[in-house]
Amino acid sequence: MNEVNDSHWYVVQTRVNSETKAARNLIRQGFETYLPRYLKNRSHAGKIEKVAAPLFPRYLFVQINIATQRWRAVQSTFGVSHLVTNGPSPVPVAEQVLCMLRSREDQRGFVKLDRRPQFSVGEKVRVLAGAFADNLGLFDGLGDRDRIAILLDLLGRKVRVSIEADMVAAA
């Protein structure tokens, strides 16, 4: 049988903030890995910058041929917490899952997320970061590009604020 056809994708749980380290060490051992990443907005020192982040924090995919590769070595790889199993055997991931993720990647390899908020006008939202962090407001509509408009109670009146869509969540 063809060795590649006997390979399947599996999920590895990594140690905290060790996704890249685990992937690098698995590659050194001859495994193929896939760590889907996206660009997220990070607020630091009053500035918002885009940084690469794992799409699934603490998880990555590894391709293993159970018949020919020493898959148990994955468990003791530096940066890996454990291989996701069902009892003693690793659980394969459907190939379509990886195909769907890869189909959403841009030319730089980052997964493009649907930025459209799933809020209805008037729905309560909580600001997660930035100058208005932890404030509650009401969703007021879409703004420009990746921004939305929310109404915040400031100084006793409702003020319309434009904010990054990924900086709010349902309250």
Side-chain angles (χ1 to χ4, degrees), residues 8 10 13 25-26 31 42-43 46 48 58 68 74 76 82 85 87 91 93 114 134-135 147 152-153 157 161 166-167:
H8 297 284
Y10 299 91
Q13 184 175 24
N25 289 315
L26 288 166
F31 295 103
R42 180 175 67 181
S43 178
I48 296 176
R58 294 199 63 200
T68 62
V74 171
S76 59
H82 64 274
T85 61
V91 179
V93 176
D114 184 7
D134 295 325
N135 279 301
R147 299 179 75 79
L152 292 176
D153 259 328
R157 65 185 184 101
V161 176
D166 59 357
M167 292 177 66

Side-chain angles (χ1 to χ4, degrees), residues 12-76:
V12 169
Q13 184 175 24
T14 68
R15 301 209 181 275
V16 176
N17 296 324
S18 295
E19 300 88 356
T20 304
K21 185 185 309 181
R24 188 173 48 243
N25 289 315
L26 288 166
I27 290 167
R28 283 187 191 138
Q29 294 177 59
F31 295 103
E32 184 178 342
T33 65
Y34 177 52
L35 175 59
R37 298 178 313 147
Y38 74 106
L39 289 174
K40 77 173 192 174
N41 290 328
R42 180 175 67 181
S43 178
H44 180 70
K47 294 182 181 178
I48 296 176
E49 60 184 351
K50 292 207 178 281
V51 296
L55 185 61
F56 307 111
R58 294 199 63 200
Y59 292 93
L60 63 93
F61 299 96
V62 62
Q63 190 173 41
I64 305 171
N65 183 324
I66 297 292
T68 62
Q69 289 181 298
R70 295 182 52 231
W71 66 269
R72 292 186 195 280
V74 171
Q75 304 279 53
S76 59

Side-chain angles (χ1 to χ4, degrees), residues 106-164:
D106 63 16
Q107 64 276 10
R108 295 179 298 163
F110 294 111
V111 176
K112 294 179 288 186
L113 301 176
D114 184 7
R115 289 282 202 217
R116 299 253 217 223
Q118 303 299 315
F119 305 120
S120 301
V121 172
E123 187 174 343
K124 285 186 180 180
V125 295
R126 175 181 302 278
V127 180
L128 302 174
F132 301 110
D134 295 325
N135 279 301
L136 294 176
L138 300 175
F139 178 73
D140 195 41
L142 299 175
D144 296 339
R145 299 169 47 138
D146 293 340
R147 299 179 75 79
I148 62 169
I150 61 173
L151 296 174
L152 292 176
D153 259 328
L154 298 175
L155 303 174
R157 65 185 184 101
K158 298 268 188 220
V159 177
R160 190 170 203 252
V161 176
S162 178
I163 191 168
E164 296 284 331

